[in-house]
Amino acid sequence: MGSPWKGFVEFTLPASPPTAFVSADLSSTSPVGLSLSPYGRSMSFDPGMLHSNGHTAYANGTGPGIREIGVVEKLLTSYGFIQCSERQARLFFHCSQYNGNLQELKIGDDVEFELSSDRRTGKPIAVKLLKIKPEVLPEERISGQVVSSIPMHLDGKSAPGQVPTGSVCYERNGEVFYLTYTPDDVEGNLHLDTGDKVSFYMDTNKHTGAVSARNIQLVKKKQMRCQGVVCATKEAFGFIERADVVKEIFFHYSEFKGDLEALQAGDDVEFTIKDRNGKEVATDVRLLPQGTVIFEDISIEQFEGTVVKVIPKVPTKNQNDPLPGRISARIGFTDKELPFGEKDTKSKVTLLEGDHIQFNISTDRRDKLERATNIDIYPDTFDFTKETREMGVIAAIRDGFGFIKCVDRDARMFFHFSEVLEESQLHISDEVEFTVVPDMLSAQRNHAVRIKKLPKGTVSFHTQSEQRFVGVVEKELVATSNKNTSPTRGKEKETEEGTIAYEDCGVKLTVPFHAKDLEGGGLPQAGDKVEFSINEVKRTGLQSAVSIRVLNRNSSNTKRLHGFVATLKDNFGFIETANHDQEIFFHYSEMCGDLENLELGDTVEYTLSKGKGNKVSAEKVTKVAAVNGIGDDVVATVMMGKVIRPLRSVDPSQTEYQGLIEVAEEGGVKGQNYPFGIMGMANKADCLQKGELVKFQVCTVTQTAQKMACNVVPQRRAMVECVKDQFGFITYEVGESKKLFFHVKEVQDGLELQTGDEVEFSVVLNQRTGKCSACNVRRVSEGPKPVATPRPDRLVNRLKSITLDDASAPRLVIVRQPRGPDNSKGFNVERKTRQPGVID
């Protein structure tokens, strides 16, 4: 007879007291004599029961099965495998053998089963599976600290399939214990750093018995040095933009370790974060080398795009987006819309929707946000936008802004220098192209933006006909009556426009004309035949005659005379006749043209008329091209003379206009007199006084054969009386004044005059104020050097009486250190202690 143990699995009896695994109903004893031990899981049995026929799970089907425990190692749809807990065995099981809800069975669950064998292969299998409910013991979270963090990059050093681990430690009864952990043991998928405070549960591996940490929670991060950039500074505090997160942090100036005077916005700093009153603050703030902190990476490649949303000039109350602008671009094979802010444009030129631009892409290292930066407008952007471009000329420039004279608008257009494209410098009269937009602060005002400089000759305010027309003056130019107009006020003389009648294609037409559009000398009179072109203003469509040239004068017109401007007063002047022997009065209201350019000695054309009291005056005065002043027959000999009568402009009380010079040297006839007028003066603005010595030549007037003095140059010498900051006085008698004023700018060669210097000069009469001053001042010889004035006796006695111990003595306080010519500070000579009462 064979052995009754044939076909059974061999095993070793445990040495511990008889205990059993948990049965399905967790009773104290199973039907096969198994019981639960409170100290652990083990298996014991009654050998006598092996001979019982009460169980059908024997390998040969003749006796009861032995129950074991294990862990579900693999679980598929209809079968799985169990790893035995007490021996090295891996058993197959079919899901139909599980007694319970199969959906609740998971890998890693503890199960109890009976050992059987497969009828076909004879291999051992597990049957009658029951899930063991684990004993729930109260757990306590343990507080500890990370001593070794999980490496971020293993660089291929770990074995294939190896899970990276870190370690934590905790203290019990004065002893420190260390536990390992894996990334799956950390809650919240956080990366723990060495020194972080954590809490965790302890876990024991069922197979190896190794203890590790699980369900790790971060309690407090280790205080690490952070970096950032100072973004704002106030009176006693500031803010730092952090480099680790998109956030600003407060700091007080007392926490800055360094020179607070040198701290400014944009400096790179490092700091420690602490919690105060529930808020994070930066402490121990220290400067870093410039360029240490980098927030973003900017692409080397430039991209093209289109502006689809511009930044509003006036932000709305609800606008919190720091990057409100948007750019559409195709990056690679993907269409992207990138945001941008005010600081992302290369210039302050206004962007408009539809602008064709180029840009770089900036990627923030903290949150990986991409935005467009270094935005620059392409020159061809105006072909893509729907804006209306206008033209004009720079009319005025101020500090940071200016005004444009527009071709199509009456009003001048304001612009700011930041709106100039291509960073080109603008000057007055530069021609520009621009876009007009309403002012955000005042809808009733407009201003020019996106200003582009144009080549000279591009902008034209009017069009001029190429065809020349011939007509007859129908209405002469008439000066408007304005008694207050004068050259000193810089006002342009206004005249009432004239009219020319002409025919074009058989149609009789008239066109106005102005004095500024005349060519050549002479003012056209009624009935004169003229040739002209027609100019049309683009803005208004008004036409006028330009480039007017007189062809034939009407013989019935009053004769026009030539003369020379001799005197200019506040609102009137005098004209020296062509014979240089008389002066004719004229009022500025009779001047045709720009009074601002009228100067002494200018050649003019005029007509004589008689007014009230039968007084003769000039009217219709027009400045013409210069002609010879006196005559061509000038004697080469230079004579010395003395002024015995000045011009009437210098002495209005005399009746004669001409001045008179008496020869006073051997080269001429002693006592012979020669008259002179304004045209005989070498310097028309010079004021010759009675009794002054002069050098002159003699010429013959062509019209009258009269001999007159010409090229008259005064010979003046006098002493400098005093010199102030920017002006001085010369001891020279002019009229009722005993001294003559001069400005330092009038001193030749840039010399600094001193009191007592001998100088030569010219005297200029301001004909509108009646005051004289010196010009062209030239030093002839230096005066005596000034002698230092000795100290007064009272001051010397005071210094002698002062002692170093005198508490009432005046104290010297240094308010400014001395500075040498080479910009060095201090004294080159060693200073010595002054002895009281001793004068060096």
Side-chain angles (χ1 to χ4, degrees):
M1 180 177 177
S3 173
W5 300 99
K6 184 178 181 180
F8 281 84
V9 178
E10 295 182 1
F11 56 92
T12 304
L13 294 177
S16 59
T19 55
F21 284 90
V22 181
S23 63
D25 57 358
L26 295 179
S27 60
S28 59
T29 306
S30 68
V32 292
L34 298 178
S35 62
L36 175 64
S37 171
Y39 301 102
R41 291 169 180 168
S42 59
M43 183 175 66
S44 62
F45 60 94
D46 185 357
M49 292 189 67
L50 295 176
H51 304 281
S52 173
N53 294 326
H55 201 281
T56 60
Y58 280 83
N60 56 5
T62 60
I66 300 174
R67 297 194 69 78
E68 296 186 28
I69 62 170
V71 179
V72 177
E73 183 186 60
K74 187 174 183 180
L75 183 63
L76 299 178
T77 305
S78 58
Y79 65 92
F81 290 89
I82 297 173
Q83 177 68 45
C84 297
S85 297
E86 297 297 331
R87 57 194 176 92
Q88 293 296 327
R90 187 170 181 262
L91 301 178
F92 169 88
F93 74 92
H94 195 273
C95 290
S96 60
Q97 292 293 322
Y98 177 68
N99 185 12
N101 187 0
L102 191 62
Q103 299 296 328
E104 296 179 357
L105 187 64
K106 298 185 175 82
I107 295 176
D109 286 348
D110 293 333
V111 293
E112 185 185 52
F113 60 91
E114 290 184 7
L115 186 66
S116 182
S117 60
D118 192 305
R119 295 179 179 177
R120 292 176 297 175
T121 62
K123 293 182 179 180
I125 60 173
V127 296
K128 300 182 180 180
L129 277 72
L130 291 174
K131 183 176 179 181
I132 301 174
K133 295 182 180 180
E135 182 181 8
V136 179
L137 298 176
E139 289 185 303
E140 177 186 0
R141 292 195 72 85
I142 301 173
S143 297
Q145 180 177 322
V146 178
V147 293
S148 176
S149 63
I150 297 175
M152 296 290 289
H153 304 285
L154 294 176
D155 297 329
K157 296 180 181 179
S158 60
Q162 180 179 352
V163 179
T165 60
S167 62
V168 296
C169 70
Y170 68 97
E171 183 181 359
R172 281 289 185 272
N173 299 325
E175 293 188 53
V176 179
F177 300 91
Y178 296 84
L179 302 176
T180 61
Y181 72 95
T182 65
D184 294 335
D185 296 323
V186 182
E187 294 184 358
N189 196 24
L190 298 175
H191 176 74
L192 300 179
D193 296 313
T194 302
D196 288 349
K197 302 293 184 181
V198 294
S199 67
F200 53 88
Y201 292 114
M202 293 178 59
D203 183 61
T204 305
N205 189 290
K206 298 175 183 179
H207 305 300
T208 64
V211 182
S212 62
R214 63 177 175 84
N215 299 105
I216 302 174
Q217 294 180 351
L218 176 65
V219 176
K220 185 178 181 181
K221 291 289 290 184
K222 177 188 175 183
Q223 285 190 353
M224 299 180 63
R225 297 291 286 173
C226 299
Q227 294 182 345
V229 174
V230 177
C231 58
T233 55
K234 305 296 182 182
E235 185 176 352
F237 60 91
F239 291 91
I240 300 172
E241 185 175 358
R242 293 171 57 174
D244 53 342
V245 292
V246 184
K247 188 178 180 182
E248 293 181 3
I249 188 168
F250 168 92
F251 77 99
H252 195 272
Y253 286 166
S254 60
E255 293 291 344
F256 179 71
K257 311 301 180 185
D259 184 8
L260 191 59
E261 298 292 333
L263 184 65
Q264 58 185 354
D267 285 345
D268 294 353
V269 293
E270 66 173 358
F271 54 92
T272 301
I273 299 177
K274 288 188 177 180
D275 186 75
R276 291 180 180 171
N277 299 327
K279 293 183 179 180
E280 288 184 338
V281 297
T283 61
D284 191 18
V285 182
R286 299 178 185 270
L287 278 176
L288 291 174
Q290 201 68 19
T292 302
V293 181
I294 300 176
F295 291 110
E296 55 195 16
D297 298 312
I298 299 178
S299 66
I300 300 176
E301 182 183 0
Q302 284 194 322
F303 303 91
E304 294 185 20
T306 304
V307 177
V308 295
K309 182 182 178 183
V310 298
I311 301 174
K313 292 288 185 182
V314 180
T316 59
K317 294 182 179 179
N318 298 327
Q319 180 181 330
N320 297 320
D321 188 1
L323 305 173
R326 294 294 183 270
I327 289 175
S328 175
R330 188 167 185 83
I331 311 298
F333 299 98
T334 307
D335 291 331
K336 282 189 176 182
E337 188 172 276
L338 300 172
F340 68 93
E342 290 184 359
K343 297 181 180 180
D344 291 319
T345 55
K346 278 191 174 181
S347 65
K348 298 298 182 181
V349 176
T350 300
L351 290 177
L352 297 179
E353 291 184 5
D355 268 340
H356 185 207
I357 50 98
Q358 63 178 358
F359 62 94
N360 298 94
I361 293 180
S362 170
T363 305
D364 197 308
R365 292 184 174 183
R366 298 167 291 181
D367 58 1
K368 306 304 179 184
L369 175 67
E370 290 185 341
R371 77 175 199 277
T373 190
N374 296 334
I375 301 171
D376 197 14
I377 300 176
Y378 271 113
D380 63 348
T381 187
F382 305 114
D383 299 334
F384 295 85
T385 58
K386 299 178 181 179
E387 61 189 302
T388 302
R389 301 288 285 172
E390 299 187 17
M391 293 185 180
V393 173
I394 303 297
I397 290 180
R398 301 289 186 267
D399 186 14
F401 64 93
F403 294 90
I404 301 173
K405 182 181 179 182
C406 305
V407 172
D408 301 321
R409 298 173 184 262
D410 293 331
R412 296 197 306 176
M413 193 63 60
F414 171 87
F415 74 93
H416 198 276
F417 284 173
S418 61
E419 290 290 347
V420 180
L421 293 168
E422 301 172 359
E423 297 183 356
S424 55
Q425 182 134 13
L426 294 181
H427 304 86
I428 293 178
S429 301
D430 281 349
E431 300 175 12
V432 292
E433 182 186 59
F434 55 93
T435 302
V436 177
V437 297
D439 195 320
M440 292 297 178
L441 300 178
S442 176
Q444 298 174 347
R445 293 188 304 178
N446 295 328
H447 63 274
V449 298
R450 302 156 66 87
I451 300 167
K452 181 181 179 182
K453 189 175 180 180
L454 299 175
K456 284 289 185 183
T458 305
V459 178
S460 176
F461 290 87
H462 54 265
T463 56
Q464 183 172 326
S465 65
E466 296 182 359
Q467 180 184 357
R468 298 284 288 175
F469 298 89
V470 176
V472 176
V473 176
E474 189 176 77
K475 179 184 176 183
E476 300 178 8
L477 290 170
V478 179
T480 58
S481 179
N482 188 351
K483 303 298 182 182
N484 295 324
T485 304
S486 69
T488 57
R489 295 182 175 87
K491 294 181 179 179
E492 185 175 346
K493 185 70 183 77
E494 297 180 359
T495 56
E496 185 180 340
E497 63 184 23
T499 306
I500 299 175
Y502 70 103
E503 287 189 7
D504 185 16
C505 300
V507 180
K508 292 184 178 182
L509 303 170
T510 59
V511 64
F513 72 97
H514 304 87
K516 63 182 180 64
D517 297 318
L518 298 175
E519 289 185 354
L523 200 64
Q525 306 294 312
D528 287 350
K529 188 175 182 181
V530 294
E531 184 184 43
F532 60 94
S533 299
I534 293 180
N535 177 78
E536 181 176 335
V537 180
K538 289 182 177 180
R539 185 176 65 254
T540 60
L542 296 177
Q543 292 183 341
S544 62
V546 296
S547 304
I548 304 169
R549 186 165 57 89
V550 178
L551 297 178
N552 293 316
R553 291 201 176 268
N554 187 359
S555 58
S556 62
N557 286 337
T558 306
K559 184 179 180 181
R560 302 281 289 172
L561 303 176
H562 281 83
F564 310 94
V565 177
T567 305
L568 292 172
K569 297 293 185 181
D570 191 24
N571 52 20
F572 64 92
F574 289 91
I575 299 173
E576 182 183 281
T577 60
N579 294 335
H580 312 288
D581 56 354
Q582 292 181 4
E583 61 179 357
I584 306 296
F585 170 87
F586 76 99
H587 196 276
Y588 289 161
S589 61
E590 295 293 339
M591 183 67 196
C592 300
D594 188 4
L595 273 171
E596 189 177 357
N597 297 327
L598 193 63
E599 297 178 354
L600 294 175
D602 283 349
T603 305
V604 293
E605 189 181 61
Y606 61 96
T607 303
L608 290 176
S609 65
K610 291 184 179 181
K612 294 181 180 180
N614 208 24
K615 292 183 179 180
V616 178
S617 64
E619 63 178 16
K620 300 178 182 177
V621 181
T622 308
K623 183 178 176 179
V624 296
V627 297
N628 291 334
I630 296 182
D632 297 328
D633 187 11
V634 180
V635 179
T637 305
V638 178
M639 301 182 184
M640 289 292 296
K642 180 180 179 181
V643 177
I644 59 176
R645 186 179 68 201
L647 290 173
R648 190 172 183 273
S649 59
V650 177
D651 184 7
S653 63
Q654 67 186 35
T655 57
E656 297 85 357
Y657 161 69
Q658 290 179 320
L660 207 59
I661 298 175
E662 182 182 47
V663 177
E665 68 169 9
E666 297 179 358
V669 180
K670 184 77 172 176
Q672 186 173 358
N673 299 335
Y674 291 98
F676 69 94
I678 190 69
M679 299 306 294
M681 303 283 295
N683 181 5
K684 304 297 186 294
D686 209 338
C687 178
L688 287 179
Q689 303 290 322
K690 183 179 180 180
E692 286 191 311
L693 297 177
V694 295
K695 288 182 179 181
F696 67 97
Q697 295 172 280
V698 177
C699 65
T700 304
V701 179
T702 306
Q703 295 89 335
T704 62
Q706 181 187 14
K707 292 187 179 299
M708 296 185 65
C710 64
N711 300 329
V712 180
V713 179
Q715 302 297 302
R716 301 186 182 100
R717 285 195 180 188
M719 298 294 181
V720 176
E721 181 181 276
C722 63
V723 178
K724 305 292 184 180
D725 184 21
Q726 295 293 323
F727 62 92
F729 291 93
I730 300 172
T731 305
Y732 188 79
E733 185 176 351
V734 180
E736 298 179 357
S737 178
K738 301 296 183 181
K739 53 186 178 180
L740 186 64
F741 170 89
F742 72 94
H743 198 278
V744 294
K745 292 182 179 179
E746 295 292 342
V747 180
Q748 296 182 1
D749 302 327
L751 298 176
E752 292 186 7
L753 297 181
Q754 304 292 334
T755 301
D757 289 350
E758 186 179 13
V759 293
E760 288 183 348
F761 54 92
S762 299
V763 177
V764 178
L765 173 65
N766 188 326
Q767 304 209 26
R768 297 173 181 84
T769 62
K771 295 182 179 181
C772 295
S773 62
C775 66
N776 301 327
V777 181
R778 183 176 65 86
R779 185 169 68 186
V780 178
S781 63
E782 295 187 30
K785 297 296 182 182
V787 180
T789 306
R791 290 182 175 181
D793 292 338
R794 59 180 178 79
L795 180 57
V796 174
N797 295 333
R798 173 64 175 161
L799 292 174
K800 288 182 178 180
S801 64
I802 294 177
T803 63
L804 294 177
D805 298 330
D806 189 357
S808 62
R811 299 298 179 186
L812 299 178
V813 179
I814 299 175
V815 295
R816 178 176 61 83
Q817 289 289 346
R819 190 183 298 274
D822 58 349
N823 215 23
S824 61
K825 293 183 179 180
F827 294 96
N828 293 329
V829 181
E830 182 180 357
R831 301 188 67 179
K832 299 179 181 179
T833 305
R834 186 183 67 81
Q835 298 297 327
V838 178
I839 303 176
D840 296 335

